[in-house]
Amino acid sequence: MRNTTTRRRVNPDAPIISLEKVSKAYTAGIPALNDVNLHINRGEFVFVVGDSGSGKSTLIKLLLRELLPTSGKIIVNGTDVVRLRRRQIPKFRRNLGVVFQDFRLLKDRNVYENVAFAQRIIQKSNREIRKNVPSMLSIVGLAGKYKARPKQLSGGEQQRVALARALVNKPQILLADEPTGNLDPKNSWEIMNLLEKINDSGTTVLVVTHNREIVNAMKKRVITMKKGIIISDEEEGGYIDED
Amino acid sequence: MRINTLFYCIWQGFKNIFRNKWFTLASVATISACLFMFGLFYAILANFQYIMKGLEQGVSVTALLEEDITDERTREIGDMIARRSEVQETVYVSADETWEQFAEENFGSTDGFRENPLSDCAHYVIYMNDVSGQQTLVDYLRSIDGVRKVNESALTAQTFVGVNAIIGYVSIGIILILFLVSIFLISNTVTIGIQVRKEEIQIMKYIGATDFFARAPFVIEGMLIGVIGSFIPLIAVYFIYNEAMIYVAGSWEFLSQLLRFLPVDEIFSVLVPVCIGIGVGIGFIGSYTTVRKHLSV
């Protein structure tokens, strides 16, 4: 008897994120994204920079399938995001780790439960959760604070919990929307070092940021956006002053 | 779905009750207050109808029989009447018994009378289940061969029918208004409580939770709040009802002869499923629909 199960095959050489002629307009007027073409390869570390209203957040929302583009094609890890059905979205998002500026932790649960929550969503057994969560908390340096509630932690620690939650399911892509926006320089660097470490282990990392110092110092690929258009895309680039 | 995922969702629903103490308290208080009013009105109205029914059953129709009727035909007529659905009870009073009662009430005894002046007054006294069917019964009695006359109190019957209809409409009206007010208040409280936690739902969705996984704990929480919120007023109404019965029976004995209260079991055989149904139903629908608003992330 033939096995009728279909498996999606992902070309390992194909870009892990691919946008072709993507536009997004919320209302009539200037589009948030305008005919954007972007390709990010597996294992890359990419900064997306630009002023407010440049389209950075819209880009993240499109990659997360929170929004649909007005036109164009978006492929993320072999999945055509535009053609994704609503009920397929949760499974799609489980392959993406996501970190936000405001951490977005479950405030009424402790550090351990916040990280374990991501594992429960993918229906890991309790045994696996008990193994994976402490291990991930060790990586982000919070093994000793697993019982603490988010409000008992500093901003940097909260962001590390968010990172642990984003990474515990071993996603192939990590999207970070202003991960250092609420942090002091010391904590910002700690988070960026963690992101670099994660990238070294093979995860593709896309960071939306305003942090000029970090972007200039890390010498990674930098995509600069302005008014919904990519105005610059440089390997080992820096923060471009628009004035 | 794994069984431990299902248990996790249920457990989270229970934990949410304690995590959001103020929301739980507000919701339980709203549900309890609404269902308490509902329960109290239901108990009062059910008793009012019960008392009216009792009074109604005291209304009778008298079927006077022909003077020369045989005993066999008398029994036949008695059986025919008793078989009627609107008839609750029939009592046969012979001509001699009628005369004895009359003489006793008016002259003290039958002494001095040689013959029974009421020899044509053997009759059936008929008590009914429902006075609204009195006219049908009277028409039927008049059609029976051997019945010479039917005495009825049309005014009493009409008054009862009218009062019953008014009580019925008022009951439905009050219960409907209380029911709608309960639904509105309870679903509003549930909605506000979940609105506050929309961020939590969004976080779940961002990290790949299915709609079921994000929704289940809230729905279970809503239903639990409904159960707790319906048990409190049920217990309160139970005690108040029992106390009221004891008080009336002890304080106004003349009233307790007139007013027969419905047994508490009978009231609660309706009130328990209705209150729990409303509580759980509103908890379920309120949380289900409110969470749905925040799921499209």
Side-chain angles (χ1 to χ4, degrees):
Chain A
M1 195 174 153
R2 281 180 66 184
N3 185 355
T4 54
T5 308
T6 48
R7 287 190 181 185
R8 190 166 53 85
R9 287 196 181 142
V10 178
N11 177 3
D13 297 327
I16 196 162
I17 294 173
S18 170
L19 278 79
E20 285 173 28
K21 294 179 178 293
V22 172
S23 295
K24 174 68 188 173
Y26 292 101
T27 49
I30 301 166
L33 282 187
N34 193 3
D35 215 18
V36 168
N37 290 299
L38 172 66
H39 301 284
I40 296 171
N41 293 321
R42 260 166 223 287
E44 268 196 289
F45 191 118
V46 180
F47 283 116
V48 178
V49 300
D51 288 344
S52 297
S54 61
K56 307 185 303 289
S57 295
T58 301
L59 176 66
I60 291 272
K61 285 177 179 173
L62 288 171
L63 294 177
L64 272 171
R65 181 48 166 85
E66 191 181 339
L67 295 174
L68 274 169
T70 312
S71 63
K73 189 174 181 181
I74 303 171
I75 306 288
V76 176
N77 200 22
T79 302
D80 187 339
V81 174
V82 180
R83 295 174 75 177
L84 214 55
R85 289 186 185 156
R86 196 176 175 275
R87 62 183 167 81
Q88 295 172 314
I89 296 171
K91 205 170 176 187
F92 162 74
R93 285 182 183 161
R94 290 171 198 174
N95 289 316
L96 303 175
V98 57
V99 176
F100 300 95
Q101 179 177 358
D102 55 358
F103 324 128
R104 300 203 186 170
L105 299 175
L106 299 169
K107 294 177 185 69
D108 53 12
R109 280 165 234 202
N110 63 27
V111 167
Y112 181 93
E113 268 308 316
N114 264 282
V115 181
F117 186 73
Q119 292 256 286
R120 295 194 198 282
I121 281 171
I122 58 165
Q123 303 195 29
K124 288 279 180 191
S125 69
N126 286 333
R127 200 164 53 88
E128 286 173 296
I129 293 171
R130 279 196 293 271
K131 192 181 121 207
N132 296 339
V133 174
S135 149
M136 187 47 68
L137 287 174
S138 296
I139 291 171
V140 298
L142 285 173
K145 294 201 170 183
Y146 71 99
K147 276 186 177 173
R149 299 262 164 161
K151 66 179 177 190
Q152 296 171 307
L153 302 174
S154 69
E157 287 171 329
Q158 288 190 55
Q159 196 58 293
R160 280 191 271 161
V161 178
L163 256 177
R165 183 182 65 189
L167 296 169
V168 71
N169 292 344
K170 298 184 172 55
Q172 299 194 44
I173 303 167
L174 178 71
L175 304 175
D177 191 2
E178 302 275 7
T180 60
N182 282 347
L183 305 179
D184 58 37
K186 182 179 169 284
N187 276 310
S188 297
W189 273 112
E190 279 180 13
I191 293 296
M192 292 317 296
N193 288 336
L194 262 173
L195 290 176
E196 199 166 26
K197 205 166 119 185
I198 290 154
N199 177 239
D200 289 342
S201 67
T203 307
T204 307
V205 177
L206 188 148
V207 181
V208 167
T209 186
H210 272 114
N211 196 318
R212 180 189 309 267
E213 189 195 337
I214 284 172
V215 173
N216 289 336
M218 285 184 74
K219 299 285 178 209
K220 302 286 184 187
R221 181 179 169 190
V222 179
I223 294 164
T224 308
M225 297 187 71
K226 187 178 182 183
K227 291 181 179 171
I229 298 169
I230 294 176
I231 57 165
S232 152
D233 185 349
E234 292 179 310
E235 294 296 330
E236 296 189 20
Y239 206 104
I240 294 174
D241 282 313
E242 291 178 31
D243 300 329
Chain B
M1 175 187 284
R2 272 172 182 262
I3 196 81
N4 70 335
T5 306
L6 186 68
F7 281 133
Y8 174 77
C9 290
I10 294 170
W11 180 233
Q12 287 306 309
F14 275 88
K15 281 177 106 172
N16 278 353
I17 297 267
F18 299 100
R19 280 193 189 121
N20 311 288
K21 290 184 196 77
W22 290 111
F23 164 61
T24 304
L25 265 175
S27 305
V28 167
T30 312
I31 293 174
S32 294
C34 291
L35 292 182
F36 177 74
M37 292 295 291
F38 178 78
L40 217 54
F41 267 94
Y42 174 79
I44 292 168
L45 291 170
N47 267 292
F48 203 68
Q49 278 187 322
Y50 181 66
I51 290 162
M52 287 303 291
K53 194 90 184 162
L55 295 174
E56 208 181 290
Q57 281 166 0
V59 177
S60 62
V61 172
T62 307
L64 293 154
L65 305 174
E66 304 277 4
E67 189 177 357
D68 52 356
I69 195 165
T70 62
D71 290 347
E72 195 190 344
R73 181 62 186 154
T74 302
R75 274 194 298 277
E76 268 175 24
I77 292 172
D79 292 342
M80 283 162 72
I81 298 169
R83 276 200 294 272
R84 300 280 298 180
S85 60
E86 66 268 35
V87 172
Q88 196 199 23
E89 191 188 357
T90 57
V91 177
Y92 175 69
V93 185
S94 67
D96 289 342
E97 285 167 338
T98 308
W99 168 233
E100 275 168 26
Q101 279 172 18
F102 182 81
E104 210 148 293
E105 280 167 20
N106 295 285
F107 318 116
S109 73
T110 54
D111 295 347
F113 292 93
R114 284 187 196 158
E115 283 181 11
N116 179 356
L118 299 179
S119 58
D120 62 346
C121 287
H123 63 275
Y124 277 104
V125 181
I126 304 151
Y127 297 98
M128 300 176 66
N129 290 321
D130 178 7
V131 286
S132 64
Q134 182 174 285
Q135 195 50 51
T136 317
L137 179 69
V138 167
D139 292 343
Y140 173 73
L141 294 172
R142 282 183 179 142
S143 70
I144 296 173
D145 187 28
V147 172
R148 73 173 172 86
K149 195 180 174 192
V150 178
N151 285 338
E152 53 158 330
S153 173
L155 183 65
T156 315
Q158 278 168 12
T159 308
F160 271 115
V161 170
V163 170
N164 271 345
I166 291 168
I167 293 170
Y169 291 134
V170 170
S171 306
I172 292 168
I174 291 175
I175 287 174
L176 200 69
I177 289 167
L178 279 173
F179 184 76
L180 293 176
V181 169
S182 303
I183 289 178
F184 177 74
L185 285 176
I186 296 165
S187 59
N188 245 16
T189 315
V190 172
T191 305
I192 292 164
I194 290 175
Q195 203 93 29
V196 174
R197 287 144 69 195
K198 70 177 181 190
E199 197 191 341
E200 193 177 328
I201 298 165
Q202 286 171 351
I203 293 168
M204 292 181 188
K205 291 292 291 177
Y206 275 128
I207 55 180
T210 57
D211 287 356
F212 174 85
F213 195 91
R215 181 187 272 153
F218 290 100
V219 171
I220 289 163
E221 180 187 355
M223 287 165 71
L224 281 172
I225 287 171
V227 171
I228 300 166
S230 53
F231 267 108
I232 293 169
L234 281 173
I235 294 166
V237 171
Y238 186 87
F239 279 108
I240 290 171
Y241 191 80
N242 268 334
E243 287 301 314
M245 281 206 299
I246 294 165
Y247 182 74
V248 170
S251 306
W252 299 309
E253 274 181 49
F254 70 99
L255 264 182
S256 65
Q257 299 294 317
L258 182 70
L259 304 178
R260 290 181 303 150
F261 283 106
L262 259 176
V264 74
D265 298 349
E266 219 164 295
I267 291 274
F268 275 73
S269 65
V270 175
L271 213 50
V272 169
V274 169
C275 282
I276 294 176
I278 293 174
V280 174
I282 292 171
F284 175 82
I285 295 166
S287 50
Y288 189 92
T289 51
T290 314
V291 174
R292 193 172 61 176
K293 282 183 205 160
H294 306 301
L295 285 176
S296 51
V297 173

